[in-house]
Amino acid sequence: MILEKLELTNYRVFSGEVEIDLSPRVRYKKRKPIILFGGLNGAGKTSILTAIRLALYGKQSLGLSVSVKSYHEFLDRSIHKGKSDDKQHYEASVALTFKYSKLGEVRTYHAQRIWVRTKKGIKEKLVLMQDDIVLTDMTMEQSQGFLNELIPIGVSDLFFFDGEKIGELAEDAKGAALGDAIKKLLGLDLMEKLDEDLGHLLRDYYKEGASKKVKKQIELLEDQFEKSRNKAAEALINYEQLKPRFIQAKEEVQRIRIRLLSQGGAWAESKEKERENVSELKEERKNIKRELIESFDSEFPLSLAPKLLKKTISQLRKESKSKVSRAAHTVLGNHIENLQKEVRSEFDEKTSNSVLKMVNTEFAEIIDAANDSGLLHDISDRELGIFEAAVKNSRLLKERKVTPLGQRLARIENDIDQGGEKIARAPEDNQLVSLFEEQEKAIAEKKACEVAQDNHIKAHKKCLREAIDIARKLEKETEKLLDMQSGDRSFKNASNSRRLLKAFVEQMAKRKIKELEEEFLRSFKRLMRKGDVDLIASISPDDFSVTLKSRKGNEIDKDDLSAGEKQIYAISILEALARTSGRNLPMIIDTPLGRLDSIHRNKLINNYFPTASHQMIILSTDTEVDEKFYSDLSPNISHAFKLDYDAKLGSSNLTEGYFWRGNA
């Protein structure tokens, strides 16, 4: 199957008619599989995925239990509501053109779903074409059935999915989500229903001949079972019916967020916080200035003239030494003169000159001190010690306190300036009041949907557990009843059919699960980082829970995996399911990289996207497939589109290219 073209008319964030070429193109003499859509949140990426599913499955695209009323409400909300349109839109449509090969014959199909808002409600129409010929001989229900036969919705769930589906499988500790996918893949859900219907028919057939007591007990259990099952089904329907509201609320939150950003809302949101931050910075600046002033009152100013101080200390030390020499001269001066006279009188001229030379050399400092012209500063040794300590303290004070405080003050001044600029950028509070109110309302609606959905799921599980317990009791009573009829031929045939059906289901599940385990391991190893744990996976055929084990046989708790590893695990499961299905369908993934680190993203970019399908449609933000990953994907990209949401117009524009470059 190849998706060729998607046409949108006044659908959600898309105003007017938008035609999107989805067919893989030939580049460098080779057909490239990847079609990449880039857009920020709220720009319409998810709308493209929902449009494709809506075109193919209509009401079922929102869930099998969604009511017609909820579906029509979803269609009504999906009619584009622009902000600058001259007139209100009452009609919208989605159309998908695709090629499908059946029994070796390739045909082109065109499915267009049109809906109109009328006074009586939503009117929907499905137009189905085969090789440019409208199939007029089928009703809308028959046309939908034809599409479901081509691409069963249970199988499409393995090929068209978003981050929510990945997250559901990633956190699926008990195998409920995986089990549901496997049952749809193998058609086991239909076989389980057939087995249940056979048991019910047998019970009804033989109940008539049972005693009143047994008959009453069985009827009581049947009544309790039906009530519990109906309550479980009702809770699930209520959950499914909230899906359209939740999707709408989620997208509304994103759209309002974009409008706020375009009108300075981001600055407005942080304006008060910035004011508080600037106020705190100013208080800190005041304290730092006070500390600096206190430092100026101490020895710190001495550090401002290090060369002069060095010269001064040298002079003071020289003067101190000179003063010592002067004192020595006062004490020894006369003795030296007398010694000189005695030497001259006792020795001849040559000898006396030699001895006096030695005396003068030995006592040169003391003799020169007598000729010193005087002292410049004349301070005591104690005062010199105090002065030297002050100079040393000034240097330490500068290095350890004043310089760091000055650097911190400079940073604070810069932060205050930046904070002032942010505050100045923010519009006045009254300019965005209505938008903030809309945002709060949308967030409250989204939260209310989440809480209600959570409550419905809890109620569904509770009622389902009750129904299972009652079913076990009913099975025991039925076995007692059927034991009495074991010789009956009809009973034997029906029982044999049930046993055969059960054995067939078990064998089919085991065979497919073995294939699934092998495909999962191949995918998981390919996508996990080098050096990650080498493991094997075991899928239970009873409850479809997955047990991960190391090669040494040690069980690995899936909860111990990181968020990124869980996402890789989920994607590996989906790829394994898709390959095991035997279907050759396109793959569409919406925002698949959100929780992955760069290394896991790199694995997915290089080892999954280029090979997972012959046609891979990726819906991404600029932070998921960034410039580096775009470059890595480029050899396999057919073409790319960029989605830009215009907050003033309330609609998105689609152009070929990507965030930072033109046509791929």
Side-chain angles (χ1 to χ4, degrees):
M1 178 182 180
I2 291 284
L3 302 180
E4 292 197 321
K5 183 170 60 177
L6 178 65
E7 297 167 86
L8 310 174
T9 305
N10 295 326
Y11 178 68
R12 298 174 87 160
V13 295
F14 297 101
S15 176
E17 296 180 2
V18 179
E19 184 176 305
I20 307 171
D21 175 22
L22 299 177
S23 183
R25 299 174 185 172
V26 174
R27 293 178 62 215
Y28 307 112
K29 299 181 180 180
K30 185 177 179 182
R31 195 169 297 280
K32 307 298 181 179
I34 296 175
I35 296 93
L36 179 64
F37 287 82
L40 302 178
N41 289 332
K45 298 188 305 299
T46 302
S47 294
I48 291 171
L49 174 58
T50 57
I52 292 173
R53 291 180 59 84
L54 181 61
L56 289 172
Y57 303 112
K59 182 170 76 73
Q60 290 179 328
S61 66
L62 302 179
L64 298 178
S65 303
V66 169
S67 67
V68 173
K69 180 183 176 183
S70 294
Y71 174 56
H72 283 177
E73 288 174 354
F74 171 77
L75 292 179
D76 187 34
R77 290 193 300 269
S78 294
I79 298 175
H80 177 71
K81 301 175 184 65
K83 300 191 181 304
S84 62
D85 292 346
D86 296 332
K87 62 178 182 178
Q88 186 178 2
H89 298 293
Y90 294 92
E91 180 178 329
S93 68
V94 294
L96 183 67
T97 304
F98 59 95
K99 289 187 180 295
Y100 192 91
S101 175
K102 192 172 184 180
L103 299 176
E105 186 177 7
V106 179
R107 291 184 177 276
T108 300
Y109 295 94
H110 179 83
Q112 182 182 30
R113 202 170 296 270
I114 309 163
W115 62 96
V116 183
R117 182 191 298 131
T118 69
K119 292 181 180 180
K120 294 183 179 180
I122 292 293
K123 297 294 182 185
E124 182 191 10
K125 180 182 179 182
L126 174 60
V127 178
L128 184 61
M129 298 174 65
Q130 179 177 290
D131 295 331
D132 297 327
I133 299 173
V134 178
L135 303 178
T136 56
D137 57 338
M138 292 192 289
T139 64
M140 183 172 173
E141 288 74 18
Q142 289 170 335
S143 296
Q144 187 60 63
F146 180 82
L147 286 171
N148 288 350
E149 286 178 13
L150 282 180
I151 318 157
I153 190 166
V155 173
S156 76
D157 287 341
L158 309 176
F159 293 86
F160 309 155
F161 55 87
D162 55 16
E164 187 177 338
K165 179 70 174 178
I166 296 171
E168 183 184 5
L169 277 171
E171 302 299 332
D172 182 28
K174 296 183 178 179
L178 179 60
D180 184 56
I182 292 175
K183 286 178 181 178
K184 287 179 179 177
L185 173 66
L186 304 179
L188 299 183
D189 50 344
L190 297 176
M191 295 181 188
E192 286 180 354
K193 185 70 172 69
L194 177 58
D195 179 63
E196 183 184 325
D197 290 344
L198 276 172
H200 190 72
L201 286 170
L202 281 172
R203 190 165 57 247
D204 285 348
Y205 182 74
Y206 291 112
K207 188 170 60 178
E208 297 303 321
S211 65
K212 288 183 179 180
K213 183 179 179 181
V214 172
K215 186 176 180 181
K216 186 175 180 181
Q217 178 65 16
I218 289 176
E219 288 175 347
L220 177 64
L221 288 171
E222 285 178 336
D223 184 58
Q224 291 175 348
F225 176 75
E226 283 302 316
K227 284 180 179 177
S228 295
R229 190 166 68 170
N230 289 339
K231 285 181 181 178
E234 184 181 355
L236 188 60
I237 289 171
N238 291 335
Y239 169 81
E240 295 285 355
Q241 287 178 344
L242 282 168
K243 273 188 176 179
R245 275 182 58 195
F246 176 74
I247 292 170
Q248 202 76 16
K250 184 179 177 182
E251 292 193 345
E252 186 65 18
V253 169
Q254 293 172 338
R255 282 195 290 270
I256 293 172
R257 177 68 177 164
I258 293 173
R259 287 167 59 194
L260 279 169
L261 287 172
S262 69
Q263 297 179 36
W267 306 113
E269 283 183 344
S270 60
K271 186 176 177 180
E272 195 57 39
K273 188 176 179 181
E274 286 295 339
R275 282 175 175 165
E276 292 175 5
N277 187 43
V278 168
S279 178
E280 290 173 2
L281 289 170
K282 286 181 177 178
E283 185 64 27
E284 188 178 354
R285 179 178 65 180
K286 181 180 175 183
N287 293 334
I288 289 175
K289 285 184 175 180
R290 186 175 63 250
E291 285 190 64
L292 287 172
I293 290 170
E294 290 172 357
S295 299
F296 296 159
D297 289 340
S298 61
E299 298 99 337
F300 168 71
L302 292 173
S303 67
L304 300 177
K307 291 182 179 179
L308 177 61
L309 287 174
K310 185 178 180 181
K311 186 177 179 181
T312 301
I313 288 174
S314 176
Q315 175 64 26
L316 289 173
R317 285 175 178 169
K318 183 178 178 182
E319 289 184 9
S320 176
K321 195 173 181 182
S322 179
K323 286 169 68 177
V324 171
S325 297
R326 278 188 175 191
H329 184 272
T330 302
V331 176
L332 299 175
N334 292 332
H335 294 287
I336 293 172
E337 287 180 9
N338 292 332
L339 180 62
Q340 289 173 339
K341 289 178 181 179
E342 289 180 10
V343 168
R344 287 192 184 99
S345 64
E346 291 291 333
F347 301 100
D348 57 43
E349 185 178 357
K350 184 178 180 181
T351 303
S352 63
N353 287 340
S354 177
V355 172
L356 287 174
K357 185 177 180 181
M358 292 174 63
V359 171
N360 290 336
T361 301
E362 184 67 25
F363 296 99
E365 288 187 13
I366 296 172
I367 294 169
D368 291 342
N371 303 319
D372 198 342
S373 61
L375 304 175
L376 292 175
H377 303 289
D378 193 18
I379 66 173
S380 67
D381 288 346
R382 178 176 173 277
E383 289 172 327
L384 174 58
I386 292 171
F387 181 68
E388 286 183 321
V391 171
K392 182 180 179 181
N393 288 338
S394 73
R395 186 174 65 251
L396 294 174
L397 186 63
K398 179 183 178 182
E399 292 174 355
R400 298 177 182 178
K401 184 176 181 181
V402 176
T403 298
L405 282 174
Q407 292 170 344
R408 175 61 184 152
L409 182 62
R411 288 196 297 270
I412 287 174
E413 293 287 4
N414 184 59
D415 290 345
I416 289 173
D417 290 342
Q418 289 184 352
E421 289 176 6
K422 291 177 182 178
I423 293 169
R425 284 194 193 106
E428 292 302 318
D429 295 340
N430 58 1
Q431 293 178 342
L432 295 176
V433 167
S434 60
L435 265 181
F436 279 124
E437 287 176 351
E438 284 183 48
Q439 185 183 47
E440 287 178 9
K441 186 178 178 182
I443 291 171
E445 169 70 4
K446 177 173 171 282
K447 183 64 178 176
C449 286
E450 287 176 335
V451 171
Q453 282 185 310
D454 186 55
N455 290 335
H456 289 318
I457 282 296
K458 287 178 180 176
H460 169 71
K461 290 179 178 179
K462 179 176 177 290
C463 294
L464 208 57
R465 285 193 297 269
E466 291 174 357
I468 290 170
D469 290 339
I470 296 168
R472 289 193 184 110
K473 294 176 183 178
L474 189 58
E475 189 68 24
K476 288 180 180 178
E477 291 297 325
T478 303
E479 286 174 0
K480 292 178 187 177
L481 177 63
L482 297 180
D483 282 344
M484 296 184 291
Q485 309 291 341
S486 59
D488 187 283
R489 183 177 177 183
S490 298
F491 167 77
K492 286 181 179 179
N493 290 337
S495 297
N496 288 337
S497 297
R498 293 188 71 189
R499 279 195 294 270
L500 183 63
L501 186 62
K502 185 178 181 181
F504 174 76
V505 168
E506 288 176 354
Q507 290 302 314
M508 173 70 77
K510 285 179 182 178
R511 184 167 63 84
K512 283 295 181 182
I513 282 173
K514 187 172 181 356
E515 290 180 31
L516 189 60
E517 288 172 346
E518 292 171 354
E519 289 289 352
F520 166 76
L521 278 182
R522 275 194 285 270
S523 178
F524 194 70
K525 283 181 181 179
R526 196 173 73 253
L527 299 180
M528 286 295 276
R529 295 180 300 191
K530 185 178 181 181
D532 281 338
V533 65
D534 187 18
L535 52 72
I536 58 175
S538 174
I539 303 173
S540 168
D542 299 320
D543 59 6
F544 304 104
S545 59
V546 181
T547 303
L548 299 177
K549 293 182 179 180
S550 68
R551 287 292 179 184
K552 295 180 180 178
N554 299 321
E555 189 169 328
I556 298 169
D557 190 343
K558 191 153 68 70
D559 289 336
D560 291 339
L561 299 177
S562 68
E565 289 168 342
K566 285 182 180 178
Q567 189 141 336
I568 289 294
Y569 159 83
I571 291 171
S572 300
I573 285 286
L574 284 166
E575 183 182 22
L577 285 165
R579 291 188 182 281
T580 307
S581 73
R583 299 270 183 159
N584 193 24
L585 297 179
M587 194 160 278
I588 308 172
I589 309 182
D590 184 11
T591 55
L593 304 175
R595 297 194 297 175
L596 296 179
D597 58 39
S598 60
I599 299 177
H600 280 119
R601 287 188 185 193
N602 192 59
K603 286 282 189 179
L604 214 61
I605 292 288
N606 292 295
N607 298 335
Y608 176 69
F609 291 145
T611 60
S613 175
H614 59 284
Q615 183 179 22
M616 169 66 75
I617 297 172
I618 305 171
L619 308 161
S620 170
T621 64
D622 59 336
T623 56
E624 288 188 293
V625 177
D626 58 19
E627 201 158 353
K628 177 190 179 302
F629 290 131
Y630 181 91
S631 177
D632 292 341
L633 272 181
S634 185
N636 295 290
I637 293 178
S638 162
H639 54 294
F641 295 99
K642 183 187 176 187
L643 293 161
D644 286 304
Y645 180 74
D646 189 323
K648 292 181 180 179
L649 298 177
S651 62
S652 285
N653 299 314
L654 184 139
T655 54
E656 283 208 32
Y658 202 58
F659 286 100
W660 47 81
R661 59 176 295 159
N663 197 345

